[in-house]
Amino acid sequence: MAAAQGAQVTLEEISVTSPSPVQPARVPGPGSAAAPTGVAAPSLGLLPVVTDTFSPVTVVTRDQIARDQPRTLGDALLDRPGIAASTYAPGAASRPIIRGLDNARVRIQENGIVNGGVSDLGEDHAVPVNPLVADRLEVIRGPATLRYGSGAIGGVVSAENNRVPTYIPAKGYSGQVTTGYSSVDNGRLGAATVDAGRDGIAVHADGFKTATDSYAIPGGIQRNSYTESQGGSVGLSAIGDRGFIGAAFTHYDALYAIPGGEAEQARTRLTPNQDRFLSRGEYRPLDGPIEVIRYWAGYSVYRHDEIGIGEDGFEGRQATFKNREGEIRVEAQHVPVFTSFGKLTGALGVQADRRVINTQLEGFLPKTDSRAGAVYLFEELEVVPGTRLQAAGRIEGDRLRSTAVRFPGDYLPVEGEDPLRYALTRRFAPKSASFGVLQDLPYGFVASLNGSYVERAPTGYELFSQGPHDATATFEIGDPTLKLERARTVEASIRHGVGPLRFEATGFYTRYTGFIYKRLTGNLCDDDFASCGTGDELRQIVYSQQNATFYGAELIGQYDALPVGNGFLGVEGQFDFVRAKFDDGTNVPRIPPYRVGGGVYLRADGWFARVNLLHAFAHTQIAPFETTTAGYDDLRAELSYTKALDPAVYGASEVTLGLQGRNLLDADIRNSASFKKDEILLPGRNVRLFLTARF
């Protein structure tokens, strides 16, 4: 009885909205932006497990973000099963990798709209999304990605917040302030969010600022790894009985350095800057066949300069990347239809987007104009209580226009001849479909089985890249003849989300036809194609296609073993791996290592304590021209205390103060999925002090 009572004290509901357009009808009102969808929020370190979605969804909640204080999405997610990070510039340019897939196959979005940066073009580019002001992060894998397009074939990372307000707080206002300090890099940060409203008008404001020095590694300092970032947002919505409509403006800018290799020697640093407009709304008709109509629209203007010492020996701007991107999505959910087979619910959606990329000084990619339009349909059938079926389909039309180059077959220059350049427009029509079963089992377990067929169109940089990318020390060559990439996936999972045992286990198998990847040719180049084969600065990379097979598993769980006060002493564990091979027997490049971890935690009377060890095995299954990566042990610990306060006296309703340690063994940690893993170490021993107040 004590265990059940403790679980009731610490569990609360959290909405998860990204995996499917089929959502319960919502009535915006005080204190609730969305109807609950069966996820346990990890109050005081509880593991959140989503049990009512057809594909597993990884959730990082606001509470966890406030304790971890990540500066990038990669930092926030890299130790979750099935997820790694690029860690090209730790704390600044670190993009999530899902099941060994990144860049063009992982869509990063904020509030349903693509993030609008150029992090997919190069691992040295930051994602212009700061997780410190997010209410939660959602990572979607499997068939649910059909909602967002072929660029999400590997998964979706969604930062969700209330920048476009969707509710009026119960007291008329609410907010959170967090600050912290990290020892490994003299890191300082602060972030604040506030929501307020009355009489049908809601407002939101947030802001953040972070700064670090170059971080420490075992035995020294990782030079040229300093960072800083700042930004914020303001939003306004009108909320009524039948829905809401709102808009927000967001600004982001940063400065960060690239450690390791020639980038470090040239003191290379990047200056991302983005302005972003977002609007969203929802309307629920009183009658008729449509239950809910929702829309999302966004437009962003992004630019970054790459500054450092050039070949002339002088410091200055070496390259500029610009990206203008707009997207709109509209979904109409029909009223439930009661058939002889069961209750049928579903939604039809349309999506359109356009992206224009420009580069200056660096001939890495010519101006590229990409457009896409799509229609998709999700239908769910509840056959009997506890048994649900889902079918989904999507068809796109993609058009990409730029300047292509016809390189020699061996990618080495021919004396007296320059490669032919010509204008080219490529058109694709990717088609995708999925089917899933979600089944309630005895004792609170839920099982799912999904199958999907997904096609992905090549991106502009996979087709048209044609020159040096100095920050990544690569000479990149696209292939303008690339075909559609096709993936056939089977995925099975079992989950348990409430009570003393919380866990999820997932296994997947994906067969790719025409998998597009960066192939190291073994040639070295300088800053033009004529130097390829005789240069010594840049590794030549060619975008190529080959059939491949990916398979793997992800497991994470917690068990509240012994009641302590109003909480528990418990144990936790995790395991994940991905194996990826081409049909010719070679390995896919830059795959994360196998990992296993576990520990103990105490959650009671406002206190939370944890000791946890994550072990990564040595990565020896390498691609041609790659090197092996040693394993490592990451010992983590945390101690925090949360206390409820009287707002009339203190102004805040709750405060959390704590310490968190990472890499406490001061181990040499190298990331096998990173281009920089032979040049840099990840941060050494770190102790973080954090403080969060809620009001």
Side-chain angles (χ1 to χ4, degrees):
M1 185 67 182
Q5 185 177 10
Q8 290 173 355
V9 169
T10 57
L11 287 175
E12 56 189 63
E13 297 287 359
I14 180 174
S15 64
V16 175
T17 58
S18 297
S20 173
V22 184
Q23 300 288 332
R26 305 182 301 181
V27 180
S32 177
T37 57
V39 184
S43 175
L44 289 174
L46 229 65
L47 173 69
V49 178
V50 184
T51 57
D52 72 341
T53 58
F54 285 82
S55 294
V57 179
T58 297
V59 177
V60 181
T61 64
R62 192 176 190 179
D63 170 75
Q64 188 69 48
I65 292 169
R67 299 204 320 269
D68 292 347
Q69 297 189 337
R71 297 188 299 272
T72 71
L73 292 175
D75 293 343
L77 296 166
L78 61 84
D79 59 357
R80 269 60 178 184
I83 309 172
S86 60
T87 64
Y88 196 91
S94 186
R95 183 183 166 100
I97 298 172
I98 301 176
R99 293 176 176 174
L101 304 172
D102 60 357
N103 294 354
R105 298 180 187 85
V106 174
R107 173 185 165 102
I108 297 179
Q109 63 182 32
E110 187 174 22
N111 294 315
I113 294 296
V114 69
N115 77 97
V118 293
S119 64
D120 55 332
L121 269 70
E123 285 75 6
D124 59 316
H125 302 162
V127 179
V129 175
N130 191 297
L132 289 173
V133 291
D135 291 334
R136 67 185 180 277
L137 305 176
E138 300 175 7
V139 181
I140 304 107
R141 313 166 181 86
T145 61
L146 264 64
R147 187 183 186 191
Y148 298 104
S150 62
I153 192 171
V156 175
V157 177
S158 184
E160 300 292 329
N161 53 47
N162 201 42
R163 283 180 160 172
V164 177
T166 59
Y167 67 91
I168 297 175
K171 297 186 302 181
Y173 68 92
S174 66
Q176 175 175 295
V177 177
T178 187
T179 186
Y181 174 82
S182 53
S183 63
V184 75
D185 52 12
N186 191 31
R188 300 84 70 194
L189 64 84
T193 64
V194 62
D195 293 283
R198 60 178 297 178
D199 300 329
I201 300 298
V203 295
H204 171 93
D206 66 61
F208 65 88
K209 185 174 179 62
T210 73
T212 72
D213 299 337
S214 293
Y215 63 81
I217 56 176
I221 298 292
Q222 189 67 65
R223 302 295 178 188
N224 209 53
S225 61
Y226 59 88
T227 75
E228 63 179 66
S229 67
Q230 51 272 321
S233 180
V234 292
L236 176 71
S237 291
I239 299 176
D241 294 337
R242 310 307 306 169
F244 74 93
I245 184 170
F249 174 79
T250 300
H251 177 74
Y252 173 96
D253 66 77
L255 168 68
Y256 63 92
I258 305 294
E262 293 196 7
E264 178 180 319
Q265 296 172 16
R267 298 204 294 267
T268 301
R269 60 230 188 245
L270 279 68
T271 61
N273 182 290
Q274 184 188 60
D275 289 319
R276 192 166 184 258
F277 173 80
L278 175 67
S279 178
R280 59 181 294 197
E282 180 178 296
Y283 175 68
R284 295 174 295 281
L286 286 170
D287 50 31
I290 303 301
E291 183 177 40
V292 186
I293 299 174
R294 305 182 180 96
Y295 83 90
W296 298 257
Y299 179 76
S300 64
V301 178
Y302 172 94
R303 169 183 173 143
H304 82 246
D305 293 328
E306 299 184 1
I307 303 169
I309 300 173
E311 289 191 347
D312 57 5
F314 293 97
E315 186 173 81
R317 181 168 62 97
Q318 305 301 319
T320 296
F321 285 75
K322 298 179 181 179
N323 184 54
R324 293 179 180 266
E325 192 162 2
E327 180 178 86
I328 185 168
R329 190 170 71 256
V330 181
E331 296 174 351
Q333 181 173 318
H334 65 71
V335 298
V337 177
F338 295 90
T339 72
S340 57
F341 299 101
K343 184 175 75 170
L344 183 69
T345 55
L348 177 69
V350 294
Q351 179 179 343
D353 58 77
R354 183 181 182 186
R355 183 183 194 186
V356 179
I357 299 172
N358 274 297
T359 63
Q360 297 175 0
L361 300 180
E362 191 171 71
F364 161 57
L365 183 69
K367 180 179 179 180
T368 302
D369 187 344
S370 305
R371 305 186 187 195
V375 60
Y376 55 92
L377 177 68
F378 279 66
E379 291 290 336
E380 296 181 7
L381 180 67
E382 186 177 13
V383 182
V384 295
T387 302
R388 290 162 54 195
L389 308 177
Q390 183 188 76
R394 179 185 181 98
I395 184 168
E396 289 185 28
D398 295 340
R399 193 210 72 180
L400 302 98
R401 177 178 295 169
S402 188
T403 301
V405 177
R406 184 176 299 160
F407 289 96
D410 58 1
Y411 301 102
L412 293 175
V414 177
E415 187 175 355
E417 296 183 14
D418 291 327
L420 175 66
R421 298 177 180 270
Y422 57 100
L424 179 65
T425 298
R426 293 291 310 273
R427 290 180 170 85
F428 302 91
K431 296 172 284 294
S432 304
S434 70
F435 182 80
V437 181
L438 186 67
Q439 178 64 55
D440 290 347
L441 300 175
Y443 307 109
F445 289 87
V446 176
S448 64
L449 179 65
N450 296 284
S452 65
Y453 171 81
V454 181
E455 295 181 342
R456 180 179 77 87
T459 63
Y461 54 88
E462 290 171 329
L463 294 168
F464 303 116
S465 291
Q466 51 192 253
H469 194 181
D470 289 330
T472 56
T474 54
F475 192 99
E476 303 195 9
I477 296 177
D479 182 351
T481 67
L482 291 174
K483 301 177 181 178
L484 285 172
E485 180 181 272
R486 297 174 172 87
R488 300 163 181 85
T489 300
V490 176
E491 177 187 82
S493 74
I494 185 166
R495 290 163 268 172
H496 191 270
V498 295
L501 175 65
R502 300 166 299 280
F503 86 96
E504 57 182 336
T506 304
F508 68 93
Y509 178 92
T510 302
R511 174 66 178 167
Y512 284 95
T513 302
F515 183 83
I516 302 171
Y517 67 106
K518 292 179 177 180
R519 177 173 61 87
L520 287 167
T521 64
N523 299 327
L524 294 177
C525 308
D526 291 329
D527 283 340
D528 58 11
F529 180 67
S531 68
C532 288
T534 59
D536 59 3
E537 295 181 357
L538 309 175
R539 295 165 294 177
Q540 189 185 68
I541 285 177
V542 176
Y543 285 97
S544 304
Q545 281 190 294
Q546 191 176 165
N547 296 346
T549 300
F550 283 62
Y551 61 89
E554 302 139 10
L555 170 67
I556 189 169
Q558 283 185 339
Y559 178 64
D560 297 335
L562 297 172
V564 176
N566 68 347
F568 297 93
L569 175 69
V571 295
E572 60 187 358
Q574 67 180 80
F575 171 72
D576 67 315
F577 82 93
V578 60
R579 186 76 177 94
K581 294 185 67 175
F582 292 117
D583 280 6
D584 64 3
T586 60
N587 296 306
V588 176
R590 295 178 304 283
I591 294 298
Y594 289 32
R595 299 181 299 185
V596 63
V600 296
Y601 59 87
L602 173 66
R603 184 181 72 248
D605 302 317
W607 289 96
F608 179 69
R610 165 186 283 155
V611 177
N612 184 287
L613 179 69
L614 180 66
H615 174 72
F617 293 89
H619 184 67
T620 58
Q621 298 162 331
I622 58 175
F625 305 106
E626 278 193 312
T627 58
T628 59
T629 307
Y632 61 83
D633 292 304
D634 183 4
L635 178 65
R636 292 90 60 89
E638 181 178 335
L639 177 65
S640 65
Y641 180 68
T642 300
K643 182 175 178 58
L645 302 173
D646 183 353
V649 178
Y650 297 97
S653 59
E654 184 181 81
V655 64
T656 299
L657 176 66
L659 286 171
Q660 187 183 85
R662 293 292 181 99
N663 191 13
L664 293 176
L665 300 176
D666 205 27
D668 289 354
I669 297 181
R670 298 185 188 272
N671 176 14
S672 64
S674 172
F675 271 101
K676 284 281 188 179
K677 58 109 173 172
D678 291 327
E679 298 178 358
I680 71 170
L681 290 169
L682 298 191
R685 182 183 295 113
N686 184 28
V687 177
R688 176 185 297 111
L689 173 68
F690 59 90
L691 173 66
T692 299
R694 302 172 181 87
F695 56 90

